[in-house]
Amino acid sequence: MGRRFYTSGQFARKASVTVRALRYYDQVGLLSPSRHSEAGYRLYSDDDLATLQQILALKFLGFSLEEIRACRGAGPRRLSEVFAQQKAMLREKRAHLATIIEAIDKAETLLREDPSAWESIVRIIEVMQVEKKNDWVDKYFTPEQRQKMDELSRTSYSEAARKKLATRSRRWTEEDQKRADEQWGWVNAEIKRLVAAGADPASPEAQSWAKVRTGLLREFSQGDPEIEGGLRNWWKNFQALPEDQRPVQVPIPNNEEVEFTQKAMRIYKQSAKEGG
């Protein structure tokens, strides 16, 4: 008996998602259709439905699309570790919500006793904000992960570079981290799309990608040669680790993607130099 295929509209209705969501999942490399019709329309199978259900389940559990991509490529042991980390993060969020509710209770009590007690309420909020700013990293990384990342940092960066990064990290907020995750998530997804599409490294879309990647790297290093060198060392040391010992899930580019990146970046830097 042959496999049954569904058009985008049929598949979207069957999976209770939008056609737009399917297009986006295809664009970022999470779920591509099994085949295309002669007219170029996407055709999905029941196997694709099982994949989509996994994606939706992980999304419901609070994982970002980049994390979902890493989870789907991980083995059972690593996936179990990722679930444990996610559970710890959610428990941390629950604890933080409990703290906020407690602060609101205190504020309500203060206002009942003294309607002009806004100064005390502001102090409560300030304390909450400081705690949130200092503790957000613990929601995303376990003590073991942070220890491993510290080890990578020590073996990758010079002492001077580590001091500069440490000073900067004290100003780094959760919002900064989310923004960086989204931007690098796009960079990682786009390189896979470009290579899969057989794009020319010199094409406008490849050079736009190279420009974004260059900007992100420059934002991190701020043009400091020591930090740039340390980042190269960090990536080399990270890739050398066995998969189950890597502290974070980061997509590892294949040989085609590495070659494409080198060519696109070389062309972009030469163009920037000539444009001067």
Side-chain angles (χ1 to χ4, degrees), residues 106-118:
K106 290 179 180 178
E108 287 178 335
T109 301
L110 285 171
L111 283 175
R112 281 196 298 268
E113 295 173 353
D114 180 4
S116 63
W118 274 103

Side-chain angles (χ1 to χ4, degrees), residues 7 54 65 67 79 85 91 111 126 131 136 153 159 177 205 220 236 243 252-253:
T7 64
Q54 293 175 13
L65 295 184
E67 289 168 334
L79 190 57
Q85 293 162 11
R91 283 174 174 167
L111 283 175
E126 287 175 347
E131 289 178 347
W136 71 265
S153 178
E159 184 177 353
Q177 186 63 47
E205 58 179 354
F220 177 80
K236 181 180 178 180
E243 184 178 350
I252 304 297

